[in-house]
Amino acid sequence: MKRAVIRASLLVASSIYSISVQAQADNNGANRDGDIIVTAQKRSERLQDVPLSITAVTGDQLGKQGISSAADLEKIAPGFTYRQSQNGTPVFAIRGIGFYSEQVANAPTVTIYTDQIPLPYARMAEGAALDVERVEVLKGPQGTLFGQNSTGGAINYVAAKPTDHFTGGFSLTYGRFNQFDAEGYVSGPIAEGLTFRLAARHESRDDWQKSSTRDDKSGQHNFTVGRLLVDWEPSDRLHVELNINGWRDRSDTQQSQARGYLPVSETPPATPQTIATNAALTAYPYITSNDNRLADWDPGRDYRRDDEFYQVAANIRYDVSDEIRLISISSYSHLKSFAPIDVDGTDHHALFLTQDGLIKTFTQELRLEGDMGRFKWVFGGNYEHHTANELQRTDLRGSNSQLVFGPGVAVQFDGLDLYNDQKINAKAVFGNVDFKLTDQLSVQGGIRYAKEDRDFKGCLADNGTPTGFGAVLGLPLTAPNRCVTFLPSGAPGQVVTSLNQDNVSWRVSLNYKPSSDALLYANVTKGYKSGGFGTLPAVSYQQLQPVTQESVLAYEAGFKFSLFDRVLDLSGAAFYDDYRDKQTQGSVIVPPFGNLPYLVNVPKSRIYGFELDATLRPVTGLRITAGGTYLNTRVKSPAPVASPFGEPVDAGGERLPNAPKWQIQGDAEYDFAINKDLSAFLGGSISFRTSSDAALGARTGPAGSEDWFKIDGYTLLDLRAGLEFGNGYRVQIWGKNVTNKGYWNNVVHIYDTYARITGQPATYGVTVSAKF
């Protein structure tokens, strides 16, 4: 009985721990001792020695668990959350710090890198998980080494590198909804000192969403990504890495699940078109079940995206001496996006939007780093130039597509365009030092000065048709872009303005290592995210004001232990964040268009919580990881925002959006030999999160609306089993969300309805892979 109680206690204790290190039998991404080697501080170190809260997972384990995108990291990285905007832009957050926006061209608070090469905008990261050695999720502000737009953290994908001998591999997957994925790579030498690695993946799937009102389907997936790495070592001291990568997405935009009628304009319908739309949306049979597959959209339209991305980057390292290295990282990235979106989520044409985006970025980092025993240091600078152009074309029939001038006097218009063009120049200098005071005690310090100049051009514009906004009012359509936003002069035209800001990020850390398998640390970090301009139908130039930069002052204390000869790895951290001027998507009343999405700053917030994580290897072949994060967030008063219902409210006392109080993840896998040439494995993972709100002010609406903008908590269960053959082949069967849990990761109110963005239903399939 006593042993049973002890076993049960261990299982309960392990359930509050998070996935931190997942050592693999083939040591992919690990050293000879099974330690994960990370580059979280832009140098190679054992994960156990880095005084930061990090989740690091090898590429082999990512493949087994079917983690193929940054959105999937929510299943393995405690404190990390993902939600999708209605326009398809992914929104990442760590420990409650995230930036929600429907725009293509807004930088996130969680930056993503491949081999330290930045992907500055979230949409650029879709192909980052191809053929990786490992992924590192760094939690807390990372501004001193990874730049100012890292107030939440950073994700660094480490690509599998070229080899000095010929090797290759492939993976084929077939699953539900006629899913067919094919991936492969080949690697080897080209000439003396010159090697390459070429990898590619294609993903396809038939429609998975069903119309709630008719026999119709949507949701095809069509995505292709590739990467070429070339390594050149012309001498012992010079190493050049060339990275050429790109992807194309021709998938359908995900359809939203309309749950109710919530017009953005309170003006009674006064034209035949708005009267008809009001009647149709009032009588529409809104979805009431939690079936992930149900949604609705206008019939007869093409909803395929046309998104393309490519990047060319070079990492050049020159060893000045055995202790000093000069490193240059240059990159050019190019993203073109086109997304057709049914905004209202019904079969009635209330608002249909197409979003065009074009982003070009050039980044250059130059740093000098040294390792002189007790003293390690790095000093350098960054330069970035971005051009970001976005055009939203709207075809509307809803509540705000009319102008009422008096009883019986109303004008109907059916379209307008929104322009948002920005040019960004950013410069920074930084330094970081690590000094060992004794063999056990060390201190670290880092600082970065950053300056950003952002130029903006944009406006509300007529769509060029006889029934467009400007045409029906008889406004003069000024060049460029037929702008009708009123300027200070009183004439309509294009708004031209700028936002210039600078800041100093810094970090101080005290670290104590009583042994090689133990670490205690305490950090204080200040980080910033740059400001920017939103996209909305601004009748006046005064409505196109930017959000200013936000900042986080973060305190963290943590530990990392390896116990019982690596049978048990434990780590944990407690943290407190003083969050100032948080950027988020709120609402604003824009006459005559009503209640519309708008970027706002929330003056003061605070976050505190803790994380605990463990990896247990009780017997040969069995690995159990489990973990959790507790998060307590509050907005401090005064915090004036407009709620999703259009009411001015003080959000003081509310939780931050999409910041669940508890997240728990766990995974278990048992590998065992059948004979000398055949082994098998059984595994499963579980992820749980409590409820959260989708927006500030979401609980201030009319009676009965308390849960309209609530994201319910949910638990997802994935299972897998497979055989591994001695010749390098693997056959695996798998299931995701095997309980077919109905859940959603966002609730949106862009137009006359409020709607959910649902998660995936149960999927299952088989994967065959090989390495040779």
Side-chain angles (χ1 to χ4, degrees):
M1 180 67 179
K2 184 177 180 181
R3 290 184 178 179
V5 172
I6 292 173
R7 291 193 191 101
S9 299
L10 285 172
L11 288 174
V12 171
S14 69
S15 70
I16 65 170
Y17 289 113
S18 65
I19 301 170
S20 173
V21 181
Q22 304 193 40
Q24 307 305 313
D26 63 356
N27 284 335
N28 180 19
N31 68 9
R32 295 179 185 177
D33 299 320
D35 293 311
I36 300 290
I37 302 300
V38 298
T39 53
Q41 299 187 111
K42 295 198 173 180
R43 60 175 182 263
S44 296
E45 303 171 282
R46 289 195 320 158
L47 178 62
Q48 198 72 8
D49 297 334
V50 181
L52 295 170
S53 183
I54 304 172
T55 294
V57 183
T58 65
D60 188 69
Q61 189 63 28
L62 292 173
K64 280 187 174 181
Q65 292 187 228
I67 307 298
S68 59
S69 70
D72 295 329
L73 295 177
E74 189 172 67
K75 295 183 178 182
I76 60 174
F80 177 91
T81 59
Y82 158 78
R83 59 175 168 162
Q84 180 177 305
S85 74
Q86 190 169 43
N87 293 6
T89 303
V91 180
F92 307 125
I94 294 178
R95 295 176 175 174
I97 298 177
F99 174 50
Y100 186 89
S101 173
E102 302 284 346
Q103 293 177 233
V104 175
N106 261 309
T109 58
V110 179
T111 51
I112 298 180
Y113 297 78
T114 300
D115 290 338
Q116 303 178 40
I117 301 164
L119 296 163
Y121 300 92
R123 284 285 292 155
M124 292 181 172
E126 287 194 19
L130 171 68
D131 190 33
V132 297
E133 179 182 300
R134 68 180 180 276
V135 62
E136 305 164 4
V137 181
L138 318 179
K139 303 171 187 177
Q142 306 294 322
T144 57
L145 287 176
F146 285 93
Q148 65 174 336
N149 292 327
S150 303
T151 45
I155 301 170
N156 188 30
Y157 285 95
V158 179
K161 298 301 186 289
T163 54
D164 58 6
H165 59 283
F166 280 105
T167 183
F170 68 86
S171 173
L172 301 174
T173 294
Y174 184 79
R176 190 184 183 192
F177 304 117
N178 200 30
Q179 174 187 353
F180 181 74
D181 300 343
E183 180 175 346
Y185 74 90
V186 61
S187 176
I190 300 173
E192 183 67 26
L194 188 64
T195 58
F196 81 100
R197 189 179 185 104
L198 178 64
R201 181 172 73 240
H202 177 72
E203 303 170 357
S204 64
R205 184 191 60 215
D206 289 345
D207 297 316
W208 67 277
Q209 294 191 285
K210 301 184 298 184
S211 169
S212 59
T213 59
R214 63 190 184 279
D215 184 14
D216 199 0
K217 294 182 179 180
S218 183
Q220 289 190 17
H221 182 65
N222 187 331
F223 180 75
T224 304
V225 58
R227 181 194 298 128
L228 172 65
L229 298 178
V230 178
D231 282 7
W232 180 40
E233 293 188 356
S235 69
D236 292 340
R237 293 191 176 275
L238 181 61
H239 183 89
V240 180
E241 299 178 1
L242 178 66
N243 183 330
I244 304 173
N245 65 87
W247 52 260
R248 186 180 188 191
D249 190 353
R250 292 283 285 159
S251 307
D252 289 343
T253 54
Q254 182 171 334
Q255 307 297 341
S256 57
Q257 190 181 84
R259 308 291 291 194
Y261 183 41
L262 186 60
V264 296
S265 175
E266 296 182 352
T267 303
T271 66
Q273 184 62 67
T274 56
I275 292 171
T277 299
N278 174 266
L281 294 183
T282 301
Y284 180 80
Y286 291 97
I287 298 171
T288 57
S289 78
N290 290 338
D291 186 342
N292 286 0
R293 298 186 62 188
L294 289 180
D296 214 356
W297 55 93
D298 296 350
R301 292 186 184 269
D302 186 353
Y303 290 94
R304 287 179 298 174
R305 311 183 73 91
D306 189 3
D307 296 353
E308 295 179 350
F309 171 77
Y310 68 85
Q311 181 184 69
V312 180
N315 186 324
I316 303 173
R317 187 188 75 233
Y318 179 71
D319 296 334
V320 179
S321 67
D322 292 341
E323 296 83 18
I324 300 176
R325 294 167 297 280
L326 179 64
I327 297 173
S328 169
I329 301 178
S330 310
S331 71
Y332 173 78
S333 304
H334 184 283
L335 172 68
K336 181 184 75 68
S337 66
F338 172 81
I341 303 148
D342 188 308
V343 179
D344 56 271
T346 72
D347 63 352
H348 185 79
H349 179 186
L351 174 59
F352 184 82
L353 179 149
T354 59
Q355 185 178 41
D356 279 285
L358 178 63
I359 304 176
K360 303 175 184 179
T361 70
F362 172 77
T363 67
Q364 174 64 55
E365 177 175 309
L366 186 66
R367 69 178 189 261
L368 194 65
E369 58 186 38
D371 186 347
M372 299 176 178
R374 290 186 177 274
F375 183 55
K376 299 180 177 68
W377 52 268
V378 56
F379 298 100
N382 288 88
Y383 172 75
E384 298 184 12
H385 176 74
H386 307 238
T387 59
N389 304 318
E390 185 169 339
L391 166 62
Q392 294 185 13
R393 295 187 179 275
T394 61
D395 184 2
L396 65 164
R397 303 286 190 277
S399 65
N400 63 3
S401 63
Q402 62 178 7
L403 296 173
V404 180
F405 299 100
V409 182
V411 175
Q412 178 75 48
F413 61 93
D414 62 9
L416 49 85
D417 293 345
L418 309 178
Y419 287 90
N420 184 328
D421 296 338
Q422 300 185 52
K423 289 187 178 181
I424 304 106
N425 285 291
K427 304 172 184 177
V429 291
F430 61 90
N432 203 77
V433 296
D434 184 341
F435 183 65
K436 272 192 163 187
L437 300 173
T438 69
D439 289 341
Q440 289 79 36
L441 187 64
S442 64
V443 293
Q444 290 184 347
I447 191 168
R448 173 187 291 257
Y449 171 75
K451 186 178 188 302
E452 181 181 279
D453 298 330
R454 184 179 295 255
D455 296 327
F456 169 83
K457 294 181 180 179
C459 68
L460 161 68
D462 186 85
N463 67 353
T465 68
T467 52
F469 177 74
V472 299
L473 293 180
L475 295 175
L477 302 182
T478 63
N481 304 330
R482 305 178 302 276
C483 291
V484 294
T485 301
F486 285 95
L487 303 178
S489 64
Q494 180 174 248
V495 177
V496 179
T497 186
S498 62
L499 175 66
N500 303 322
Q501 295 185 308
D502 62 354
N503 57 70
V504 178
S505 301
W506 52 267
R507 175 174 174 263
V508 178
S509 177
L510 181 66
N511 317 308
Y512 178 63
K513 282 189 69 65
S515 71
S516 61
D517 291 327
L519 172 67
L520 302 172
Y521 66 89
N523 301 328
V524 183
T525 309
K526 185 69 175 283
Y528 289 86
K529 180 191 179 301
S530 61
F533 294 84
T535 303
L536 79 162
V539 178
S540 167
Y541 73 97
Q542 295 174 324
Q543 296 165 336
L544 289 175
Q545 298 301 310
V547 286
T548 57
Q549 62 186 358
E550 68 177 31
S551 68
V552 178
L553 180 60
Y555 304 85
E556 179 178 326
F559 66 88
K560 298 182 181 183
F561 296 135
S562 289
L563 305 172
F564 314 121
D565 196 23
R566 297 297 303 276
V567 171
L568 179 64
D569 289 340
L570 293 178
S571 64
F575 50 87
Y576 179 91
D577 296 338
D578 182 3
Y579 199 3
R580 300 297 178 98
D581 296 318
K582 172 184 169 55
Q583 301 170 6
T584 190
Q585 182 167 286
S587 298
V588 65
I589 305 298
V590 180
F593 301 109
N595 183 37
L596 298 177
Y598 186 58
L599 296 181
V600 297
N601 287 107
V602 178
K604 295 181 181 180
S605 307
R606 65 104 177 107
I607 302 169
Y608 68 80
F610 63 85
E611 296 173 351
L612 296 170
D613 54 70
T615 301
L616 177 66
R617 308 175 188 87
V619 296
T620 301
L622 178 60
R623 187 202 75 249
I624 302 171
T625 59
T629 298
Y630 170 77
L631 201 63
N632 189 302
T633 67
R634 283 292 181 272
V635 176
K636 296 182 178 181
S637 290
V641 299
S643 78
F645 304 96
E647 302 170 348
V649 298
D650 181 355
E654 294 189 20
R655 295 185 296 174
L656 291 176
N658 196 38
K661 181 173 287 189
W662 286 99
Q663 283 182 273
I664 297 175
Q665 292 102 337
D667 186 79
E669 183 172 300
Y670 181 54
D671 298 82
F672 57 94
I674 298 175
N675 58 48
K676 66 176 183 178
D677 295 321
L678 181 64
S679 63
F681 64 89
L682 299 170
S685 63
I686 190 169
S687 58
F688 163 78
R689 56 179 281 176
T690 54
S691 65
S692 61
D693 291 329
L696 292 176
R699 297 182 177 272
T700 61
S705 66
E706 290 82 4
D707 293 334
W708 288 3
F709 290 88
K710 180 182 178 183
I711 302 173
D712 279 356
Y714 54 85
T715 302
L716 302 180
L717 175 64
D718 297 349
L719 297 174
R720 60 186 184 273
L723 298 172
E724 294 184 327
F725 299 86
N727 58 4
Y729 281 82
R730 175 193 291 167
V731 179
Q732 176 178 331
I733 57 173
W734 51 267
K736 298 181 180 181
N737 188 14
V738 295
T739 63
N740 200 31
K741 173 66 177 178
Y743 70 101
W744 57 99
N745 62 53
N746 201 7
V747 184
V748 296
H749 177 225
I750 307 301
Y751 203 51
D752 285 343
T753 62
Y754 63 95
R756 294 175 179 174
I757 308 298
T758 62
Q760 290 287 318
T763 55
Y764 40 80
V766 59
T767 298
V768 177
S769 59
K771 295 179 181 180
F772 49 84

